[in-house]
């Protein structure tokens, strides 16, 4: 079924998860400015909690997307462009799975059990296997890939809003659509 915008659950989950990703990223950036200690552990734990939140919301997000109504390609969109948009969205989904999982793997290979704000502890079951450095590098690489993919995604939204002037931005920001139609 197609309609002018995404369902309310899809919109709420899109923005909640975008915020969680941003906060996970910002948390670890701030942590890296601090020396080892309680403050740094708190920020790394907060970043992991937001990351685990992204993982937990993925299934509801996918269900909302598959079961709810969703807009097809905007009118007059060439086939190649619709396929590119689909590929970009699938890439974002793949990163939303792989990035938090690689974070869990980083914790599993740590020197000590990884405490997530006293709420749960991830055991360092793979400590001493020599995998720590590689796994952490993969986690960092995926975080950079997420940053690049989101930057392109936001650029595409701005292009739709200000160059194409179609309804694509309004599908995730219904207020924009209401303002445009008066
Ligand atoms: C949206 C999700 C996430 C983002 C954007 C993210 C991002 C990052 C970034 C940029 C780093 C720094 C890497 C480096 O400089 O080497 C990092 C480190 C780390 N992340 Fe994540 N991460 C996410 C989810 C998770 C999750 C779910 C966990 C574990 C449950 C986790 C555990 C870790 C650990 C243990 C480190 C190393 C911290 C340290 O060296 O003290 N991350 N993360
Ligand atoms: C300021 C940041 C963001 C803006 C302005 C934005 C904007 C939008 C817009 C306008 C759409 C509808 C596109 C269409 O129908 O073709 C959309 C869809 C989508 N966005 Fe974003 N977005 C942002 C952040 C993010 C982030 C951080 C992620 C995940 C990493 C993400 C993942 C997706 C996905 C997967 C879709 C496809 C629809 C769905 O399955 O929910 N977005 N976004």
């Amino acid at each position: 079924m197609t309609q002018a915008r995404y369902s309310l659950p899809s919109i709420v989950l899109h923005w909640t998860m975008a915020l969680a990703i941003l906060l996970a990223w910002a948390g670890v950036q701030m942590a890296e400015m601090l020396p080892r200690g309680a403050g740094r552990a708190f920020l790394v734990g907060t970043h992991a909690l937001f990351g685990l939140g992204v993982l937990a919301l993925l299934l509801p997000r996918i269900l909302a997307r598959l079961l709810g109504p969703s807009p097809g390609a905007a009118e007059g969109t060439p086939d190649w462009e619709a396929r590119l948009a689909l590929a970009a969205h699938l890439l974002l989904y793949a990163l939303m799975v792989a990035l938090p999982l690689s974070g869990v793997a980083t914790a599993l290979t740590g020197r000590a059990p990884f405490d997530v704000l006293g709420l749960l502890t991830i055991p360092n079951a793979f400590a001493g296997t020599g995998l720590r450095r590689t796994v952490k590098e993969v986690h960092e690489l995926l975080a950079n890939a997420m940053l690049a993919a989101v930057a392109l995604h936001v650029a595409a939204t701005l292009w739709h809003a200000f160059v194409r002037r179609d309804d694509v931005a309004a599908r995730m920001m219904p207020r924009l659509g209401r303002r445009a139609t008066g």
Side-chain angles (χ1 to χ4, degrees), residues 20-21 24-25 28-29 32 36 40 44 47-48 51-52 54 99-100 103-104 106-107 114 116 122 132 136 139-140 143:
I21 291 167
W25 187 82
V28 82
Q29 299 306 314
E32 286 184 346
R36 291 201 177 278
R40 181 179 167 126
V44 174
H47 126 271
L52 290 173
V54 171
L99 178 54
V104 173
T106 305
F114 183 75
V116 184
I122 302 177
R132 166 80 175 176
K136 201 176 158 196
H139 186 52
E140 190 180 5

Side-chain angles (χ1 to χ4, degrees), residues 6 14-15 61 65 89 93 153-154 157 168 171-172:
Y6 289 96
H14 174 272
W15 290 112
R61 166 97 176 253
R65 180 73 176 79
H89 292 161
Y93 273 114
H153 180 63
V154 174
T157 305
V168 166
R171 297 162 164 196
M172 270 304 172

Side-chain angles (χ1 to χ4, degrees), residues 72 76 88-89 96 102-103 116 130 144 180:
H89 292 161
M96 284 188 277
S102 69
V116 184
N144 289 334

Side-chain angles (χ1 to χ4, degrees), residues 94-135:
L95 287 170
M96 284 188 277
V97 179
L99 178 54
L101 284 182
S102 69
V104 173
T106 305
L108 286 169
T109 55
R111 274 179 285 274
F114 183 75
D115 173 48
V116 184
L117 305 181
L119 297 172
L120 72 136
T121 303
I122 302 177
N124 55 339
F126 296 95
T129 51
L131 290 171
R132 166 80 175 176
R133 184 191 283 257
T134 313
V135 170

Side-chain angles (χ1 to χ4, degrees), residues 1-175:
M1 183 176 160
T2 60
Q3 67 163 37
R5 64 175 173 87
Y6 289 96
S7 68
L8 186 62
S10 278
I11 295 175
V12 170
L13 286 165
H14 174 272
W15 290 112
T16 308
M17 289 166 79
L19 187 66
I21 291 167
L22 180 83
L23 292 174
W25 187 82
V28 82
Q29 299 306 314
M30 287 193 284
E32 286 184 346
M33 289 180 215
L34 298 178
R36 291 201 177 278
R40 181 179 167 126
F42 173 79
L43 285 173
V44 174
T46 306
H47 126 271
L49 190 64
F50 281 121
L52 290 173
V54 171
L55 207 54
L57 291 176
L58 254 171
L59 190 60
R61 166 97 176 253
I62 292 170
L63 287 177
R65 180 73 176 79
L66 294 178
L67 300 178
S70 57
E75 216 172 296
T77 306
D79 256 10
W80 67 267
E81 205 183 299
R83 276 200 292 271
L84 189 66
L86 178 66
H89 292 161
L90 289 177
L91 174 69
L92 287 166
Y93 273 114
L95 287 170
M96 284 188 277
V97 179
L99 178 54
L101 284 182
S102 69
V104 173
T106 305
L108 286 169
T109 55
R111 274 179 285 274
F114 183 75
D115 173 48
V116 184
L117 305 181
L119 297 172
L120 72 136
T121 303
I122 302 177
N124 55 339
F126 296 95
T129 51
L131 290 171
R132 166 80 175 176
R133 184 191 283 257
T134 313
V135 170
K136 201 176 158 196
E137 272 171 12
V138 169
H139 186 52
E140 190 180 5
L141 189 83
L142 290 172
N144 289 334
M146 172 68 95
L147 214 59
V150 170
L152 282 176
H153 180 63
V154 174
T157 305
L158 293 173
W159 182 74
H160 278 287
F162 296 108
V163 180
R164 266 282 176 83
R165 292 173 181 273
D166 57 23
D167 71 337
V168 166
R171 297 162 164 196
M172 270 304 172
M173 296 172 255
R175 271 169 180 280

